[in-house]
Amino acid sequence: MIMKATRLILVATLLIGLLFAGCETPSEPTIDTPTQEETEDEGNEDSGNEEDNGSTEEEENNNGEEGGEENNGTEDEEEQDMSWMENPQPLPEATYELSGGLVATSYVSYAIGLRNDYLSFYEAERDYALYIDLYTSESNTILPTGRYLLSDEMKNCAFREYCYLTLETNGDLYRFTEGWVEVIADAEHSSGYPYHNIRAYFVMESGESVSLEYEGTIVLK
């Protein structure tokens, strides 16, 4: 009986062991943890991107600065050339030359951000009169120094429409196809009044020409 009981116990033990062996414990999910080398490589890549971005920003800043310098250069080039004052040239010979016994007057007005000096130079001896229409910035308190080309434009120019010569009072108006006016202004002259040195040269539609040389004060109307 003892032997039989012992066998039964052994058989039961074996059966229980087989049951536990067939039921495997489920394994936990595996998480791939990056190694130290992989982490360092990724850090180096990020650093490289940051350096690249920095270079791009520097290039953009440099380009912006260069663009600003170019713009400034363009503005400087747009400023009026004053070299004619340093090396003045003789007036060209002209068909009609006005240089002595002149009375200079000016009618000044302001509009559309501009100062308009409508100048007239009258020579009583021959009854000649030259009219010059100049436009400058409205901030000017006197007719400023400058070289003004005859033009259909207004600002810093001699306006073609109202520049002309008359050879007698109420006579024909002789307009110009080309020309220029040079003005040197002295706002602190010893006379106590603005003092001007004005030279001009114009070519008429007929091919004839007129020149002007005037130094003195201009009477405001």
Side-chain angles (χ1 to χ4, degrees):
M1 290 292 294
I2 293 172
M3 293 283 295
K4 190 175 181 179
T6 300
R7 286 179 182 174
L8 289 173
I9 291 169
L10 289 173
V11 170
T13 303
L14 288 172
L15 289 174
I16 292 170
L18 289 174
L19 286 172
F20 279 101
C23 297
E24 295 182 358
T25 304
S27 59
E28 296 180 359
T30 304
I31 300 174
D32 293 334
T33 305
T35 64
Q36 183 176 357
E37 292 180 357
E38 291 174 346
T39 305
E40 289 177 355
D41 290 341
E42 290 177 0
N44 292 336
E45 288 178 1
D46 292 340
S47 299
N49 291 336
E50 290 176 0
E51 290 175 1
D52 290 341
N53 292 337
S55 300
T56 304
E57 290 176 1
E58 288 178 4
E59 289 174 1
E60 290 176 355
N61 292 335
N62 291 335
N63 291 336
E65 291 175 0
E66 290 174 1
E69 290 175 0
E70 289 176 2
N71 290 337
N72 291 335
T74 302
E75 290 175 2
D76 292 340
E77 288 173 5
E78 290 177 354
E79 292 181 0
Q80 195 175 94
D81 180 9
M82 304 300 284
S83 59
W84 56 271
M85 291 182 62
E86 301 172 2
N87 186 27
Q89 300 297 315
L91 273 171
E93 292 185 3
T95 310
Y96 304 96
E97 297 179 348
L98 285 69
S99 60
L102 297 171
V103 175
T105 60
S106 178
Y107 177 78
V108 179
S109 61
Y110 296 87
I112 59 172
L114 298 173
R115 172 190 168 107
N116 177 210
D117 286 79
Y118 188 53
L119 304 165
S120 65
F121 300 89
Y122 178 66
E123 185 187 296
E125 184 178 348
R126 293 184 291 181
D127 201 21
Y128 291 173
L130 176 63
Y131 298 86
I132 302 176
D133 196 29
L134 297 179
Y135 286 84
T136 61
S137 171
E138 68 177 351
S139 61
N140 293 312
T141 56
I142 65 171
L143 175 63
T145 296
R147 192 172 196 272
Y148 307 92
L149 298 178
L150 185 70
S151 173
D152 293 322
E153 302 295 328
M154 287 185 177
K155 189 174 183 182
N156 293 326
C157 292
F159 188 46
R160 186 192 309 272
E161 181 65 22
Y162 295 109
C163 292
Y164 47 82
L165 173 72
T166 63
L167 299 177
E168 59 183 349
T169 302
N170 298 323
D172 293 335
L173 309 181
Y174 297 95
R175 287 191 166 84
F176 311 123
T177 58
E178 59 181 296
W180 49 265
V181 184
E182 292 176 349
V183 177
I184 298 177
D186 182 359
E188 301 178 357
H189 192 261
S190 58
S191 66
Y193 296 95
Y195 196 85
H196 288 84
N197 188 324
I198 300 175
R199 304 193 323 154
Y201 180 81
F202 297 102
V203 177
M204 294 182 279
E205 295 172 346
S206 63
E208 295 180 306
S209 56
V210 57
S211 66
L212 168 78
E213 194 157 15
Y214 175 79
E215 184 174 349
T217 58
I218 298 174
V219 178
L220 299 179
K221 291 184 176 181

